[in-house]
Structures are given as structure tokens and as C-alpha cells.
Amino acid sequence: MTVLAAGVVGLGIATASVVSSGVESLSGDINAELTSNNWNMFSNGRVSLGSFDFTGGNAAGWFGGSVRDMGGELGELMVLGPGEAASYLVEISDGALNAVMSFDLVAGDSLDDSAQWGTDTATISLNGVPVAIALASGNSMTFDIPQLDGTTVEATVEVAEVALGGSGRWTDSVASVVVTVAEPTSDIQFELQSNANQGIRDEFWGLDNFDASSTGGPGF
């Protein structure tokens, strides 16, 4: 079973839960939201600030990591090897009411949490400040969500310990993560940092279906 740890924060609420479902549901909610009337910029002022499923290697504006086809049901995603980081600058308009970053986090293959093989974490940071730390062992994924005023983090494990791609010797897990920042005052540098200690052919952290948006700003 997957156990998720969450911190309840002053102005923000960090939550995590476990949902058992097929991998096809990973981006369903995001796609439904993108194609719904909720994204009508004349009704609620929500503006897309970047959307990537990394198909065809598209990673314009990203620094670090590499887009790879990991095969199976994973397909193409931003992949991080040992000690690597991938970052993207989310440009915020003056007066934005909030900024939202949603994405799928993939724990691939033989990530560990043991005295023998080390602890392989992935840290999600905004402007250099960690907002969530993921840990995978036997590829059951858990989260630690530090306290950070004004930021809400939701992490839901959608698929746990299933062989989705990468090496067929190991299983994988995928979590849907949503990070919301209230009343951002400047651009946001989103970063995912891998603390894996073995090569991508053996273990990796991956990022897929990344979407950033804001609400409000000039003219709304």
C-alpha cells in the first residue's frame, strides 16, 4: 500500500491520496479541463503559460533533463538521470490571482530507499524553495510536503507498482501533482531535481503532461 504524508500549511493546504486506476486516466482530468469552458479566457481570465506532453521531443523553454521514449505505456517524457534537474520559467503577469502547475510525476524502475542502495528522491521546487519531495521504493511512491505559506500542493498516486515502460525487470508508479501559488508577485522557476544514484537504464524520475496557467492579470 502507498502511504502519503501531507503538511497542512498556513495559507496553503497540502493533500495526498491514493487512487487505483489505469494509466489512461493520468492526463484525463487535465485534458478535460483544457477543453472545457473553464478555459474560456473571457469568462474567468485563465491563461495558459505553457503546456507540454513532450511528444516529438518538444521541450521548448526547458533546461536540463532529456526527452526520451521510455516505451510501453509511458512513451515520451522528460527524463532525469542521477543528480539531474529540469526547470521551466513560468512567466506571471502583473496582478495574477494565482498560478497553477499540474503534471504527472513518474517513478521509474529500481528507485530505492534502503541503507544498501541509498534514498532516491525527487524534489519539486519553486524559485529554489522545495514544495514537495517524492520518494519511491520498490516503486511505491510517497510524498513529503513541507510547509510553505500561500502554496497548495496536491499529490495523487494514480498508478502504483505496475510495469509501464523502461526496464521490464521493474515496476513503475505515477502520481498526478498540482501546485497552486496564490497571488504570485514574480515569475516562477519550476524545477524537478532527481536524487537518483544510478543511470536511466536502471532507474529514473520522469515528468509528463506539464501544464502551467494563471488567473487574473491586466485586462481581466
Side-chain angles (χ1 to χ4, degrees), residues 19-190:
V19 177
S20 177
S21 63
V23 69
E24 64 273 10
S25 70
L26 294 178
S27 59
D29 291 343
I30 295 173
N31 289 337
E33 179 71 8
L34 288 171
T35 56
S36 74
N37 288 332
N38 291 335
W39 281 83
N40 182 339
M41 62 187 299
F42 298 103
S43 65
N44 70 355
R46 182 171 291 186
V47 179
S48 176
L49 303 175
S51 185
F52 300 87
D53 63 7
F54 303 108
T55 299
N58 177 30
W62 285 86
F63 293 91
S66 59
V67 177
R68 302 192 182 201
D69 187 344
M70 301 307 291
E73 296 178 74
L74 292 178
E76 293 181 293
L77 62 155
M78 176 68 73
V79 180
L80 302 180
E84 289 187 325
S87 64
Y88 180 78
L89 182 65
V90 180
E91 297 182 349
I92 306 297
S93 298
D94 291 342
L97 298 178
N98 61 52
V100 180
M101 289 142 281
S102 60
F103 53 94
D104 295 329
L105 180 64
V106 179
D109 294 340
S110 67
L111 294 167
D112 302 295
D113 179 22
S114 69
Q116 181 178 7
W117 301 109
T119 299
D120 300 321
T121 58
T123 302
I124 301 160
S125 299
L126 303 182
N127 292 337
V129 179
V131 297
I133 301 169
L135 172 67
S137 178
N139 281 3
S140 176
M141 201 180 333
T142 62
F143 285 84
D144 176 32
I145 301 177
Q147 295 184 357
L148 186 63
D149 285 351
T151 301
T152 301
V153 180
E154 299 179 3
T156 304
V157 176
E158 300 281 359
V159 179
E161 300 182 77
V162 177
L164 301 175
S167 172
R169 298 175 55 197
W170 311 102
T171 59
D172 315 293
S173 291
V174 185
S176 176
V177 183
V178 179
V179 181
T180 303
V181 179
E183 299 182 354
T185 57
S186 63
D187 293 344
I188 297 173
Q189 188 77 40
F190 171 92

